[in-house]
Amino acid sequence: MIPTARLGLLRWARRRSPWIIHFNTGGCNGCDIELLAALTPKYDVERFGILLKGSPRHADILAVTGPVTNQTRDRLLRIYEQMPEPKYVIAIGTCAVSGAPFWDCYNVVGGVDKLFPVDVYVPGCPPRPEAIIQGFVKLLEKMEAEEDE
Amino acid sequence: MVSEALSFILQLLIFPGFLFIICLAFFSEWVLRKFVARIQNRMGPTYTGSGGILQPFADFIKLLGKEDIVPAFAERTYFTLTPLLCLTLPLTALFILPMTGHRALISFEGDLIFLAFIFTTLTIMVFLGGFLSGSVFSMVGGVRAATQLLGYEIPFLLALFGPAIPASSLSISKISTWQAQNNAWGLWTQPIGFGVLVICLLAELELLPFDIPEAETEIVAGWNVEFTGRRLALVRLGRDVELVLASTILADLYLGGPQQVWIIPPIIIFLAKMFACLLLIGYLKTLFARFRIDQVLSGMWKYVIPAAMIQFIILKLIW
Ligand code: SF4
């Protein structure tokens, strides 16, 4: 009885306070500006308790924008490994989803899912802030379904 | 005798002790976040509890349930000790500040000095925690915290001890009682001191114009960059308690503290004063952009310390 109640509280807390860290793996900055628009006054995702954190140690969600280049590959992996469990990944923009027009460039690895599992894909070039917020909401739903099992 | 001891323990644990202070800390973080958001034309936390009031609590619980990482290069003892002390030191300090009546929970002659001691220890803990968590960013953050201490420590102490002169006592409870009884709030009798204390508390709390040790855009998250899970939860709660502590100090030393007005109980008056100070701090925090560390040091030594000294001289001339 007590463990389930405790898990229920924890699940509630996790859904209510997802903190993100933003990493650009070599995109054109289009997606980054849209992500920032989602964070700033007009869309303000702090309504859902989402905060932008500077340190991967503090964050729950890794928001990646841009195609993964050979240069950023190791850095991205390191940041992913520095995050404490449970952690989630959201790929923002077609570049991060699949590599988009850069998929067969000599210096591009491809989409983020070549390196580690991605929870939510937000396609678009760049996706609108509404779409990014929708992506976050999808991720929160997924978190809930996962922990129910 | 037994009932006295029991009531003291109850006071210590529930009201106005641990439970009350921690609830107050969560509540004031919410007030501050909401207030800052409204100034910036945002909504702030909205959906967690009614109006987002449970947001700080949800953050705390979530952090408790996360993985706990100790970096390989960190000094384990200090890495554990710093978050604990970050919470317990301000909590201890709040016990010597009057909240519900003329007397604080624990009050003795000279507790003002104890308060100053706690503030300095806090900064030193921040420095040690940052320096020994084994990351370059946290080291830079810790060193910046210690450097900043050189700037604000002197005016902070001068402004802290200013109200003690007219009341001719070094006990916080006696100072605030004296101000309330003689209707001579520190805010009116020594306004420069009040301004200096607000500036120094902003620096002590590492709030916006002085958030150099945490500067997110420069050194990731500063001295607390390596803390995860439980440790980060304690650090954050400690920050909230410090926020309460800062506004309580302003309310007690410069605004007369808890006093009975007509039939309104002292605790209500005290909370009103405390939240007024909290909003003042929040307003200043939103208004300014971050200074550079050299600007802080030279500004403190050129303007704030002379202002604090002038206030002291004026006080000595009057009293
Ligand atoms: S998806 Fe489009 S906007 Fe986003 S980084 Fe790639 S090219 Fe730029």
Side-chain angles (χ1 to χ4, degrees):
Chain A
M1 191 59 217
I2 293 164
T4 39
R6 226 173 63 202
L7 265 186
L9 185 63
L10 193 58
R11 183 165 61 207
W12 168 83
R14 275 194 188 138
R15 260 183 60 94
R16 289 299 192 278
S17 120
W19 293 349
I20 62 172
I21 175 167
H22 169 206
F23 189 64
N24 181 345
T25 55
C28 72
N29 254 347
C31 291
D32 307 290
I33 289 171
E34 298 301 315
L35 179 61
L36 288 188
L39 293 167
T40 40
K42 183 143 189 202
Y43 295 99
D44 185 31
V45 286
E46 202 194 342
R47 284 179 295 150
F48 307 104
I50 299 178
L51 287 183
L52 183 67
K53 285 282 153 186
S55 159
R57 297 267 197 232
H58 301 180
D60 310 288
I61 301 174
L62 177 59
V64 188
T65 55
V68 183
T69 59
N70 283 336
Q71 278 257 320
T72 51
R73 184 181 167 276
D74 294 344
R75 279 87 182 167
L76 182 60
L77 273 176
R78 196 185 305 159
I79 285 187
Y80 181 72
E81 270 152 20
Q82 277 175 342
M83 288 170 62
E85 291 284 351
K87 53 189 166 193
Y88 302 89
V89 180
I90 173 165
I92 294 172
T94 320
C95 284
V97 171
S98 64
F102 313 109
W103 66 276
D104 62 348
C105 275
Y106 65 96
N107 61 342
V108 167
V109 182
V112 183
D113 48 8
K114 289 257 172 65
L115 297 181
F116 41 71
V118 172
D119 294 281
V120 171
Y121 298 89
V122 183
C125 180
R128 289 187 61 88
E130 289 97 329
I132 296 178
I133 294 175
Q134 173 77 7
F136 283 129
V137 173
K138 280 260 155 55
L139 180 59
L140 295 181
E141 277 166 12
K142 186 179 168 177
M143 276 155 85
E144 185 141 45
E146 224 170 44
E147 281 159 13
D148 269 342
E149 283 161 15
Chain B
M1 188 63 211
V2 175
S3 72
E4 233 170 62
L6 207 66
S7 101
F8 181 70
I9 289 173
L10 271 184
Q11 276 184 355
L12 204 62
L13 289 183
I14 297 173
F15 183 84
F18 284 108
L19 200 66
F20 175 67
I21 291 174
I22 285 178
C23 291
L24 196 61
F26 282 138
F27 184 66
S28 28
E29 188 196 334
W30 173 74
V31 169
L32 199 68
R33 273 170 80 168
K34 221 40 191 178
F35 184 65
V36 169
R38 288 314 297 158
I39 293 182
Q40 294 173 340
N41 216 355
R42 294 187 289 125
M43 290 295 291
T46 308
Y47 299 112
T48 313
S50 98
I53 193 165
L54 291 177
Q55 187 63 51
F57 181 64
D59 290 347
F60 184 72
I61 296 287
K62 179 207 73 176
L63 284 174
L64 284 185
K66 289 208 64 132
E67 188 188 355
D68 188 26
I69 303 174
V70 181
F73 290 115
E75 189 82 27
R76 219 195 156 89
T77 332
Y78 286 97
F79 198 65
T80 316
L81 208 59
T82 308
L84 278 179
L85 284 181
C86 269
L87 175 60
T88 42
L89 285 177
L91 258 180
T92 320
L94 272 170
F95 288 148
I96 59 172
L97 289 162
M99 290 177 148
T100 45
H102 288 316
R103 255 182 80 86
L105 209 52
I106 299 160
S107 145
F108 49 90
E109 190 58 44
D111 50 12
L112 199 57
I113 298 173
F114 182 60
L115 189 69
F117 163 75
I118 281 187
F119 265 110
T120 312
T121 322
L122 256 177
T123 315
I124 300 214
M125 272 336 281
V126 163
F127 166 69
L128 276 183
F131 203 74
L132 298 173
S133 44
S135 148
V136 185
F137 296 117
S138 67
M139 251 176 231
V140 174
V143 171
R144 283 181 177 192
T147 317
Q148 195 165 273
L149 181 74
L150 299 179
Y152 67 76
E153 182 77 348
I154 297 171
F156 177 66
L157 291 183
L158 284 179
L160 203 62
F161 288 111
I165 295 176
S168 57
S169 164
L170 273 178
S171 150
I172 302 168
S173 305
K174 279 190 195 144
I175 294 173
S176 73
T177 315
W178 183 87
Q179 288 191 0
Q181 277 168 357
N182 296 342
N183 243 333
W185 285 11
L187 180 58
W188 313 130
T189 53
Q190 31 190 319
I192 311 177
F194 183 76
V196 170
L197 191 58
V198 171
I199 294 175
C200 296
L201 281 174
L202 280 175
E204 171 71 49
L205 293 182
E206 292 162 18
L207 289 177
L208 206 53
F210 306 105
D211 70 337
I212 305 160
E214 289 183 17
E216 263 196 10
T217 39
E218 297 168 35
I219 47 172
V220 187
W223 63 272
N224 54 22
V225 68
E226 292 289 350
F227 292 114
T228 52
R230 277 175 282 158
R231 288 164 227 259
L232 184 63
L234 289 187
V235 168
R236 281 180 60 92
L237 183 58
R239 290 274 108 156
D240 295 347
V241 176
E242 258 186 84
L243 205 63
V244 176
L245 177 61
S247 359
T248 309
I249 288 176
L250 284 176
D252 274 350
L253 288 183
Y254 279 88
L255 297 182
Q259 63 189 103
Q260 180 105 21
V261 177
W262 189 44
I263 49 163
I264 310 169
I267 178 81
I268 305 284
I269 299 283
F270 166 77
L271 284 179
K273 285 174 181 172
M274 195 210 102
F275 278 104
C277 295
L278 187 77
L279 294 187
L280 176 70
I281 288 177
Y283 188 62
L284 291 175
K285 165 183 138 92
T286 345
L287 218 55
F288 289 105
R290 187 186 311 129
F291 292 125
R292 280 199 320 268
I293 185 88
D294 58 309
Q295 287 172 329
V296 168
L297 282 186
S298 67
M300 285 283 182
W301 281 92
K302 274 188 203 151
Y303 308 112
V304 182
I305 293 185
M309 284 182 170
I310 288 171
Q311 179 64 76
F312 228 74
I313 293 167
I314 295 175
L315 261 184
K316 276 317 267 184
L317 289 183
I318 299 177
W319 265 281

